[in-house]
Amino acid sequence: MYEQDTSPNKSSSQMSLVFSGQALEYFKIWIVNIILSILTFGIYSAWAKVRNNRYFYGNTQLDNAAFEYHATPIMILKGRLIAIVALIIYITLSNFYPPAAIVFAIILALVSPWLVWKSLQFNARMMSYRNVRFSFKGALKEAYTILLLIPFIPIILTSIVFLLLYFISGDLSSEEILAILPIAFLATYLLFPHVQQLFTSYYINHQKYGQGDFSTQLSSKKYYKTYLFMILWVSLLIMATSTILALIMAVFTALAGGMDAYTNIQSLGSYDEEMGPAAIEGMIAAMIFMVIPIYLAFIFVGLWAKAYLETHIREYVFHRTQLDQVLRLKSNLAMGKLFMIYATNTLAVIFTMGLAYPWAIIRLTRYKIESIDAIVTGNLSNYVNQQQEKQSALGDEVGNAFDLDLDLGM
Amino acid sequence: MQIKGYWYPANSAARYPATLNIQADQFSLVISDQDNLVGKVNTLSVSDRVGNITRKIGLYDQSIFETQANDQIDQLLLNLNHKDKKLHFLHHLETHWHWIATALLLTVVASFSTVYWGLPWASEKLAYSMPKVVSEKVSEGTLDILDKVLLEPSKLDKQQQASIRQHFEETLLSIQAKDNLDISQSANYQLKFRQLDDIPNALALPSGTIIITDALINMADNQAEIDSVLLHEIGHIESRHGLQQIIHSSIVTIGLAMMIGDTTAVEEMLIALPTLLLQSHYSRKHETEADNYAFEKMIQLNIDPIHFAHLFEKMLAWEEQDTATPSRPDEDEQDKANLLSTHPSSPERIQRAREYSKQYF
């Protein structure tokens, strides 16, 4: 056979992923995508999505080889048409026949694990690296367990409790219902980190590269710890932010109140203890003036929480993920830097009314991609495409239609 | 022409340095300086160019040649009039500044005109094309819910109610009947008296039901003042403002969902404020329209629009004493508050009523 290009694969080597997208270059692709989508009443958006994904995949490189996105616009277009029809039905129903909208929402909840499963398959199959495709082999049953059964355990248990109470006392008081329902909802929220862990494990452990298997071992304990610390930090941040905002407000009120005291002394020769009109005006002015800063302050707290979770979860998950015995990953994401990127990106996008979006997304992607290290200990050249098992034409058509972008919180 | 790159055998991740040589319409691919694959260029399938990402060239044996030499490949496709140059115009658009400037300008113009004219226009057209049954469906049950949670039966005496209702049907509705030749499309007007604590208020449901509170009736000094409010509400119903707002907010929701895709909680917070501002701007426009409708009908009925001003001055006074605000914020603050308000500021509405009055009486 030919002499292979095996330079980095001889022994263990560590290399960073490289992102070579450029803000200006992407801006031009982005604006053409938008205007053509507008001019074609949204039909071009399917082509736009493909060009967009090809740009981001194609500019992501490991060891001088880029990733590639293979979906065709027609596949995307079908999914979009189905989604838009469903959305229109839902909005029409919720405005005109609210009970039917609830039924529709329940049906959507029942099919959503299937949609997620199909999207995982689609998105994996449409990605390749060095001529070899990724694939997803997770079972549909597991998607239903993780996304539908486990999150609803508290609700199911509550319903059973209600039924039991009803049979014992023959009557349900609204106090009982009001006491138990919040507990059920709280329990659902408390389950979230566990569900996220299960879903991430499901996603990685059934992901394949050619004949190779990705694998990971995650524990929910780490997820709960991360969320707990995030909540503690966020509480502190909110307290600090509120204190600062209240102080600014107090200064406004006091300044205006000083004017009151002045006018009161002048006109009546006495000092009125209650807030005068100017003080109240000052407070109203402060409130109106503060709406935007308060709004931004809480968005920043939200972004901070997002950066905190992403950094910690990514580091944990990447560290425990590998492809056979051949490739391991490492994340060097720094929380402070990620937060600063989120914060400045948000401000830039707001103040340019969206025009800075390409620059913002390229900057974010570059940081996220380039903070990944791959440690290659084997030979990637041995990977080959697996034979696609034949699917029914209909199953393939419908399956191709969905390409939800899933957020693993990383 | 010589193009450097890598070659992958069919379905394999094994990578070999390779060079593609082009001679007229023939190619030969030299792999690891040893072997040759040869054939006609038009049997190659070349991926579309996007930015400067690696180009993939598929060979007849399912193997792949990849290269960064995008410009050379483009040249080749154009020279040989290759079938895979058909989407090359997209790359042309994406790399020439005059096209970018055009796209940017068109996008800005299209966005603003959609928000300011397109959406209101489409909402209006859609609202008017909906059959009467839709208005009825939307309003169905609304009065029942309001009666359960907010409203209490009126404490006005039956005689006063009857006389106001009679005036409403015989005088105010008579001019609607004249305007509306198509009876099947006209709303089914009904006047309801209710109590809402001691808040003076009136509201209209798309089906034609108008609810007026006791406090408002008591606040009015004469029939003309009540008429001004009722005509304002009729204006909302005649112009189908309720339906228009439902359609408008639905389109905004679908549009944003499509543009932004799946949003996270943080992003949702970010788009909430602009959406709110847009909706309240739209709602203020409708209030002004309903006011104008009321003024014009009052003139038709020979009622002085000054009564509208009188009633609103009383409302303003009531609001001030109710919120116990000793003074109004100055105008500049009011402008800022205006952005979030669903109604135009009351002094502005009173001013407009006075102008109408001056013009005709």
Short mmCIF file of all heavy atoms in Angstrom, two decimals, chain B residues 277-325:
data_model
loop_
_atom_site.label_atom_id
_atom_site.label_comp_id
_atom_site.label_asym_id
_atom_site.label_seq_id
_atom_site.Cartn_x
_atom_site.Cartn_y
_atom_site.Cartn_z
N LEU B 277 -41.88 46.05 24.17
CA LEU B 277 -41.93 47.41 23.63
C LEU B 277 -42.74 47.46 22.34
O LEU B 277 -43.55 48.34 22.14
CB LEU B 277 -40.51 47.93 23.36
CG LEU B 277 -39.65 48.20 24.59
CD1 LEU B 277 -38.26 48.62 24.18
CD2 LEU B 277 -40.29 49.26 25.46
N LEU B 278 -42.54 46.45 21.50
CA LEU B 278 -43.24 46.38 20.22
C LEU B 278 -44.74 46.25 20.45
O LEU B 278 -45.54 46.94 19.83
CB LEU B 278 -42.69 45.20 19.42
CG LEU B 278 -43.16 45.08 17.98
CD1 LEU B 278 -42.70 46.31 17.21
CD2 LEU B 278 -42.60 43.83 17.35
N GLN B 279 -45.11 45.35 21.36
CA GLN B 279 -46.53 45.11 21.63
C GLN B 279 -47.20 46.37 22.19
O GLN B 279 -48.31 46.70 21.82
CB GLN B 279 -46.72 43.97 22.64
CG GLN B 279 -46.17 42.64 22.19
CD GLN B 279 -47.04 41.97 21.16
OE1 GLN B 279 -47.98 42.58 20.65
NE2 GLN B 279 -46.73 40.75 20.82
N SER B 280 -46.50 47.07 23.10
CA SER B 280 -47.17 48.22 23.71
C SER B 280 -47.28 49.37 22.71
O SER B 280 -48.24 50.13 22.73
CB SER B 280 -46.50 48.63 25.02
OG SER B 280 -45.12 48.53 24.93
N HIS B 281 -46.28 49.46 21.82
CA HIS B 281 -46.37 50.47 20.76
C HIS B 281 -47.62 50.21 19.91
O HIS B 281 -48.38 51.12 19.59
CB HIS B 281 -45.12 50.42 19.88
CG HIS B 281 -45.25 51.15 18.58
ND1 HIS B 281 -45.05 52.50 18.47
CD2 HIS B 281 -45.60 50.71 17.34
CE1 HIS B 281 -45.25 52.87 17.21
NE2 HIS B 281 -45.58 51.80 16.50
N TYR B 282 -47.82 48.94 19.58
CA TYR B 282 -48.94 48.53 18.74
C TYR B 282 -50.26 48.83 19.45
O TYR B 282 -51.22 49.31 18.84
CB TYR B 282 -48.81 47.03 18.48
CG TYR B 282 -49.68 46.51 17.37
CD1 TYR B 282 -49.63 47.07 16.11
CD2 TYR B 282 -50.54 45.45 17.60
CE1 TYR B 282 -50.42 46.58 15.09
CE2 TYR B 282 -51.33 44.94 16.59
CZ TYR B 282 -51.26 45.52 15.33
OH TYR B 282 -52.04 45.02 14.34
N SER B 283 -50.29 48.56 20.75
CA SER B 283 -51.51 48.78 21.52
C SER B 283 -51.83 50.28 21.63
O SER B 283 -52.98 50.69 21.52
CB SER B 283 -51.33 48.12 22.89
OG SER B 283 -52.11 48.75 23.84
N ARG B 284 -50.79 51.13 21.79
CA ARG B 284 -51.02 52.58 21.86
C ARG B 284 -51.61 53.10 20.56
O ARG B 284 -52.49 53.95 20.56
CB ARG B 284 -49.70 53.31 22.15
CG ARG B 284 -49.21 53.16 23.56
CD ARG B 284 -48.21 54.26 23.89
NE ARG B 284 -47.07 54.29 22.98
CZ ARG B 284 -46.00 53.52 23.11
NH1 ARG B 284 -45.92 52.65 24.09
NH2 ARG B 284 -45.01 53.60 22.26
N LYS B 285 -51.14 52.53 19.44
CA LYS B 285 -51.63 52.94 18.13
C LYS B 285 -53.14 52.66 18.05
O LYS B 285 -53.90 53.49 17.55
CB LYS B 285 -50.87 52.14 17.07
CG LYS B 285 -51.10 52.60 15.66
CD LYS B 285 -50.34 51.70 14.69
CE LYS B 285 -51.24 51.35 13.53
NZ LYS B 285 -51.06 50.02 13.01
N HIS B 286 -53.55 51.51 18.56
CA HIS B 286 -54.97 51.16 18.53
C HIS B 286 -55.80 52.06 19.42
O HIS B 286 -56.93 52.42 19.08
CB HIS B 286 -55.15 49.69 18.96
CG HIS B 286 -54.79 48.74 17.87
ND1 HIS B 286 -54.64 47.39 18.09
CD2 HIS B 286 -54.54 48.94 16.56
CE1 HIS B 286 -54.32 46.80 16.95
NE2 HIS B 286 -54.24 47.72 16.01
N GLU B 287 -55.27 52.44 20.58
CA GLU B 287 -56.01 53.35 21.46
C GLU B 287 -56.26 54.68 20.74
O GLU B 287 -57.35 55.23 20.79
CB GLU B 287 -55.24 53.59 22.76
CG GLU B 287 -55.15 52.38 23.68
CD GLU B 287 -56.52 51.78 24.00
OE1 GLU B 287 -57.50 52.54 24.18
OE2 GLU B 287 -56.60 50.54 24.05
N THR B 288 -55.22 55.17 20.07
CA THR B 288 -55.37 56.43 19.34
C THR B 288 -56.42 56.29 18.25
O THR B 288 -57.26 57.17 18.04
CB THR B 288 -54.02 56.86 18.74
OG1 THR B 288 -53.05 56.82 19.78
CG2 THR B 288 -54.08 58.23 18.14
N GLU B 289 -56.39 55.15 17.54
CA GLU B 289 -57.38 54.92 16.48
C GLU B 289 -58.79 54.91 17.04
O GLU B 289 -59.71 55.50 16.46
CB GLU B 289 -57.12 53.56 15.82
CG GLU B 289 -56.13 53.62 14.67
CD GLU B 289 -55.85 52.23 14.09
OE1 GLU B 289 -56.82 51.43 13.97
OE2 GLU B 289 -54.70 51.96 13.78
N ALA B 290 -58.96 54.23 18.20
CA ALA B 290 -60.29 54.15 18.80
C ALA B 290 -60.75 55.52 19.27
O ALA B 290 -61.93 55.87 19.17
CB ALA B 290 -60.29 53.15 19.95
N ASP B 291 -59.81 56.33 19.79
CA ASP B 291 -60.14 57.71 20.19
C ASP B 291 -60.66 58.48 18.98
O ASP B 291 -61.71 59.13 19.04
CB ASP B 291 -58.90 58.43 20.74
CG ASP B 291 -58.62 58.03 22.19
OD1 ASP B 291 -59.43 57.28 22.76
OD2 ASP B 291 -57.59 58.48 22.73
N ASN B 292 -59.90 58.42 17.88
CA ASN B 292 -60.30 59.16 16.68
C ASN B 292 -61.68 58.73 16.20
O ASN B 292 -62.49 59.56 15.80
CB ASN B 292 -59.30 58.92 15.55
CG ASN B 292 -57.99 59.61 15.84
OD1 ASN B 292 -57.92 60.46 16.73
ND2 ASN B 292 -56.96 59.24 15.11
N TYR B 293 -61.92 57.42 16.27
CA TYR B 293 -63.22 56.89 15.87
C TYR B 293 -64.30 57.53 16.73
O TYR B 293 -65.32 58.02 16.22
CB TYR B 293 -63.20 55.37 16.05
CG TYR B 293 -64.50 54.69 15.66
CD1 TYR B 293 -64.71 54.24 14.37
CD2 TYR B 293 -65.52 54.52 16.60
CE1 TYR B 293 -65.89 53.63 14.01
CE2 TYR B 293 -66.70 53.91 16.25
CZ TYR B 293 -66.88 53.46 14.96
OH TYR B 293 -68.06 52.86 14.61
N ALA B 294 -64.05 57.54 18.06
CA ALA B 294 -65.03 58.11 18.98
C ALA B 294 -65.29 59.58 18.66
O ALA B 294 -66.43 60.02 18.57
CB ALA B 294 -64.56 57.95 20.42
N PHE B 295 -64.21 60.35 18.42
CA PHE B 295 -64.37 61.78 18.13
C PHE B 295 -65.21 61.98 16.88
O PHE B 295 -66.12 62.80 16.84
CB PHE B 295 -63.00 62.46 17.93
CG PHE B 295 -62.09 62.37 19.12
CD1 PHE B 295 -60.71 62.38 18.96
CD2 PHE B 295 -62.61 62.27 20.42
CE1 PHE B 295 -59.87 62.29 20.05
CE2 PHE B 295 -61.77 62.19 21.51
CZ PHE B 295 -60.39 62.19 21.32
N GLU B 296 -64.91 61.20 15.84
CA GLU B 296 -65.64 61.39 14.58
C GLU B 296 -67.11 61.05 14.72
O GLU B 296 -67.98 61.76 14.22
CB GLU B 296 -64.99 60.58 13.47
CG GLU B 296 -63.98 61.42 12.70
CD GLU B 296 -62.83 60.61 12.13
OE1 GLU B 296 -63.07 59.43 11.75
OE2 GLU B 296 -61.71 61.15 12.07
N LYS B 297 -67.39 59.95 15.43
CA LYS B 297 -68.79 59.55 15.62
C LYS B 297 -69.52 60.56 16.49
O LYS B 297 -70.72 60.81 16.30
CB LYS B 297 -68.88 58.16 16.25
CG LYS B 297 -68.39 57.05 15.35
CD LYS B 297 -69.31 56.86 14.14
CE LYS B 297 -68.53 56.13 13.06
NZ LYS B 297 -69.29 55.93 11.84
N MET B 298 -68.81 61.12 17.49
CA MET B 298 -69.45 62.13 18.35
C MET B 298 -69.87 63.32 17.51
O MET B 298 -70.96 63.86 17.68
CB MET B 298 -68.49 62.56 19.47
CG MET B 298 -68.35 61.51 20.57
SD MET B 298 -67.06 61.91 21.75
CE MET B 298 -67.99 62.86 22.93
N ILE B 299 -68.98 63.72 16.59
CA ILE B 299 -69.31 64.85 15.72
C ILE B 299 -70.53 64.51 14.85
O ILE B 299 -71.45 65.30 14.72
CB ILE B 299 -68.08 65.25 14.88
CG1 ILE B 299 -67.06 65.91 15.80
CG2 ILE B 299 -68.46 66.18 13.74
CD1 ILE B 299 -65.64 65.85 15.31
N GLN B 300 -70.54 63.28 14.33
CA GLN B 300 -71.68 62.82 13.53
C GLN B 300 -72.98 62.90 14.33
O GLN B 300 -74.03 63.24 13.80
CB GLN B 300 -71.46 61.37 13.11
CG GLN B 300 -71.34 61.17 11.62
CD GLN B 300 -71.21 59.69 11.30
OE1 GLN B 300 -72.15 58.92 11.53
NE2 GLN B 300 -70.06 59.30 10.78
N LEU B 301 -72.91 62.55 15.62
CA LEU B 301 -74.09 62.51 16.47
C LEU B 301 -74.35 63.87 17.13
O LEU B 301 -75.22 64.01 17.99
CB LEU B 301 -73.92 61.46 17.57
CG LEU B 301 -74.00 60.00 17.12
CD1 LEU B 301 -73.41 59.09 18.17
CD2 LEU B 301 -75.43 59.62 16.82
N ASN B 302 -73.52 64.83 16.74
CA ASN B 302 -73.64 66.17 17.28
C ASN B 302 -73.38 66.23 18.80
O ASN B 302 -74.07 66.91 19.54
CB ASN B 302 -75.02 66.74 16.95
CG ASN B 302 -74.96 68.25 16.88
OD1 ASN B 302 -73.88 68.83 16.68
ND2 ASN B 302 -76.11 68.89 17.06
N ILE B 303 -72.41 65.43 19.24
CA ILE B 303 -71.98 65.50 20.64
C ILE B 303 -70.60 66.14 20.66
O ILE B 303 -69.73 65.78 19.87
CB ILE B 303 -71.88 64.08 21.27
CG1 ILE B 303 -73.19 63.32 21.05
CG2 ILE B 303 -71.55 64.16 22.75
CD1 ILE B 303 -73.10 61.84 21.41
N ASP B 304 -70.41 67.09 21.55
CA ASP B 304 -69.13 67.80 21.60
C ASP B 304 -68.04 66.89 22.18
O ASP B 304 -68.18 66.40 23.30
CB ASP B 304 -69.29 69.05 22.49
CG ASP B 304 -68.09 69.96 22.41
OD1 ASP B 304 -67.03 69.50 21.91
OD2 ASP B 304 -68.21 71.11 22.84
N PRO B 305 -66.92 66.64 21.42
CA PRO B 305 -65.84 65.78 21.95
C PRO B 305 -65.22 66.32 23.24
O PRO B 305 -64.45 65.63 23.88
CB PRO B 305 -64.81 65.78 20.82
CG PRO B 305 -65.56 66.14 19.61
CD PRO B 305 -66.65 67.07 20.04
N ILE B 306 -65.56 67.55 23.61
CA ILE B 306 -65.03 68.10 24.86
C ILE B 306 -65.42 67.21 26.04
O ILE B 306 -64.72 67.15 27.05
CB ILE B 306 -65.53 69.56 25.06
CG1 ILE B 306 -64.65 70.30 26.08
CG2 ILE B 306 -66.96 69.62 25.52
CD1 ILE B 306 -63.30 70.67 25.55
N HIS B 307 -66.55 66.48 25.90
CA HIS B 307 -67.00 65.61 26.99
C HIS B 307 -66.01 64.49 27.25
O HIS B 307 -65.84 64.05 28.38
CB HIS B 307 -68.39 65.02 26.68
CG HIS B 307 -69.44 66.07 26.65
ND1 HIS B 307 -69.81 66.80 27.76
CD2 HIS B 307 -70.21 66.54 25.63
CE1 HIS B 307 -70.76 67.65 27.43
NE2 HIS B 307 -71.01 67.53 26.14
N PHE B 308 -65.37 64.04 26.19
CA PHE B 308 -64.32 63.03 26.32
C PHE B 308 -63.20 63.60 27.21
O PHE B 308 -62.72 62.96 28.14
CB PHE B 308 -63.78 62.67 24.92
CG PHE B 308 -62.72 61.61 24.90
CD1 PHE B 308 -63.07 60.27 24.69
CD2 PHE B 308 -61.38 61.92 25.07
CE1 PHE B 308 -62.09 59.28 24.65
CE2 PHE B 308 -60.40 60.93 25.03
CZ PHE B 308 -60.76 59.62 24.83
N ALA B 309 -62.82 64.85 26.90
CA ALA B 309 -61.77 65.50 27.68
C ALA B 309 -62.19 65.63 29.14
O ALA B 309 -61.40 65.36 30.05
CB ALA B 309 -61.46 66.87 27.08
N HIS B 310 -63.45 66.05 29.35
CA HIS B 310 -63.92 66.21 30.73
C HIS B 310 -63.81 64.92 31.52
O HIS B 310 -63.31 64.89 32.64
CB HIS B 310 -65.37 66.70 30.74
CG HIS B 310 -65.48 68.12 30.28
ND1 HIS B 310 -66.66 68.66 29.78
CD2 HIS B 310 -64.56 69.11 30.21
CE1 HIS B 310 -66.45 69.91 29.43
NE2 HIS B 310 -65.18 70.20 29.69
N LEU B 311 -64.29 63.83 30.91
CA LEU B 311 -64.28 62.55 31.61
C LEU B 311 -62.83 62.12 31.90
O LEU B 311 -62.52 61.64 32.99
CB LEU B 311 -64.98 61.48 30.77
CG LEU B 311 -65.14 60.13 31.49
CD1 LEU B 311 -66.09 60.27 32.66
CD2 LEU B 311 -65.65 59.06 30.54
N PHE B 312 -61.95 62.34 30.91
CA PHE B 312 -60.56 61.92 31.13
C PHE B 312 -59.86 62.74 32.18
O PHE B 312 -58.99 62.25 32.90
CB PHE B 312 -59.79 61.93 29.80
CG PHE B 312 -59.69 60.56 29.24
CD1 PHE B 312 -60.76 60.02 28.54
CD2 PHE B 312 -58.57 59.77 29.46
CE1 PHE B 312 -60.71 58.73 28.07
CE2 PHE B 312 -58.51 58.48 29.00
CZ PHE B 312 -59.58 57.96 28.30
N GLU B 313 -60.24 64.03 32.29
CA GLU B 313 -59.65 64.84 33.35
C GLU B 313 -60.04 64.29 34.71
O GLU B 313 -59.25 64.22 35.64
CB GLU B 313 -60.08 66.30 33.20
CG GLU B 313 -59.18 67.03 32.22
CD GLU B 313 -59.80 68.28 31.64
OE1 GLU B 313 -60.96 68.60 32.01
OE2 GLU B 313 -59.14 68.91 30.81
N LYS B 314 -61.30 63.85 34.80
CA LYS B 314 -61.76 63.27 36.07
C LYS B 314 -61.02 61.96 36.36
O LYS B 314 -60.66 61.68 37.50
CB LYS B 314 -63.28 63.04 36.02
CG LYS B 314 -64.06 64.30 36.40
CD LYS B 314 -65.54 64.09 36.32
CE LYS B 314 -66.04 64.51 34.95
NZ LYS B 314 -67.49 64.26 34.77
N MET B 315 -60.82 61.18 35.31
CA MET B 315 -60.09 59.92 35.47
C MET B 315 -58.67 60.19 35.97
O MET B 315 -58.17 59.51 36.87
CB MET B 315 -59.98 59.20 34.13
CG MET B 315 -61.28 58.63 33.67
SD MET B 315 -61.30 56.85 33.90
CE MET B 315 -61.20 56.31 32.25
N LEU B 316 -58.03 61.20 35.36
CA LEU B 316 -56.67 61.57 35.75
C LEU B 316 -56.63 61.96 37.22
O LEU B 316 -55.76 61.51 37.98
CB LEU B 316 -56.22 62.75 34.90
CG LEU B 316 -55.21 62.48 33.80
CD1 LEU B 316 -54.94 63.75 33.04
CD2 LEU B 316 -53.92 61.95 34.39
N ALA B 317 -57.60 62.80 37.61
CA ALA B 317 -57.66 63.26 39.00
C ALA B 317 -57.85 62.07 39.92
O ALA B 317 -57.20 61.95 40.96
CB ALA B 317 -58.80 64.25 39.16
N TRP B 318 -58.71 61.13 39.49
CA TRP B 318 -58.97 59.95 40.30
C TRP B 318 -57.71 59.11 40.45
O TRP B 318 -57.36 58.67 41.54
CB TRP B 318 -60.08 59.12 39.65
CG TRP B 318 -60.35 57.86 40.40
CD1 TRP B 318 -61.16 57.69 41.47
CD2 TRP B 318 -59.77 56.58 40.13
NE1 TRP B 318 -61.13 56.40 41.90
CE2 TRP B 318 -60.29 55.69 41.09
CE3 TRP B 318 -58.87 56.09 39.17
CZ2 TRP B 318 -59.93 54.34 41.13
CZ3 TRP B 318 -58.52 54.76 39.21
CH2 TRP B 318 -59.06 53.90 40.19
N GLU B 319 -56.99 58.91 39.32
CA GLU B 319 -55.76 58.12 39.36
C GLU B 319 -54.76 58.73 40.32
O GLU B 319 -54.11 58.04 41.09
CB GLU B 319 -55.11 58.10 37.97
CG GLU B 319 -55.51 56.90 37.13
CD GLU B 319 -55.05 57.05 35.69
OE1 GLU B 319 -53.95 57.60 35.46
OE2 GLU B 319 -55.82 56.65 34.79
N GLU B 320 -54.64 60.07 40.26
CA GLU B 320 -53.63 60.73 41.08
C GLU B 320 -53.96 60.58 42.55
O GLU B 320 -53.09 60.32 43.37
CB GLU B 320 -53.53 62.20 40.71
CG GLU B 320 -52.63 62.35 39.52
CD GLU B 320 -52.50 63.79 39.05
OE1 GLU B 320 -52.85 64.70 39.83
OE2 GLU B 320 -52.08 63.98 37.91
N GLN B 321 -55.25 60.73 42.88
CA GLN B 321 -55.57 60.62 44.30
C GLN B 321 -55.51 59.16 44.73
O GLN B 321 -55.11 58.85 45.86
CB GLN B 321 -56.90 61.31 44.57
CG GLN B 321 -57.97 60.56 44.99
CD GLN B 321 -59.10 59.90 44.74
OE1 GLN B 321 -60.05 60.52 44.41
NE2 GLN B 321 -59.07 58.60 44.97
N ASP B 322 -55.75 58.25 43.79
CA ASP B 322 -55.70 56.83 44.13
C ASP B 322 -54.27 56.36 44.39
O ASP B 322 -54.01 55.62 45.32
CB ASP B 322 -56.31 56.00 42.99
CG ASP B 322 -56.53 54.57 43.42
OD1 ASP B 322 -57.33 54.36 44.35
OD2 ASP B 322 -55.90 53.66 42.84
N THR B 323 -53.34 56.81 43.56
CA THR B 323 -51.96 56.39 43.78
C THR B 323 -51.25 57.31 44.77
O THR B 323 -50.10 57.09 45.11
CB THR B 323 -51.17 56.39 42.45
OG1 THR B 323 -51.41 57.64 41.81
CG2 THR B 323 -51.57 55.26 41.56
N ALA B 324 -51.97 58.33 45.22
CA ALA B 324 -51.44 59.26 46.22
C ALA B 324 -50.12 59.88 45.80
O ALA B 324 -49.25 60.13 46.61
CB ALA B 324 -51.29 58.59 47.58
N THR B 325 -49.99 60.06 44.49
CA THR B 325 -48.78 60.73 44.01
C THR B 325 -49.06 62.23 44.04
O THR B 325 -49.98 62.69 43.36
CB THR B 325 -48.46 60.31 42.57
OG1 THR B 325 -48.58 58.90 42.50
CG2 THR B 325 -47.07 60.72 42.17
#
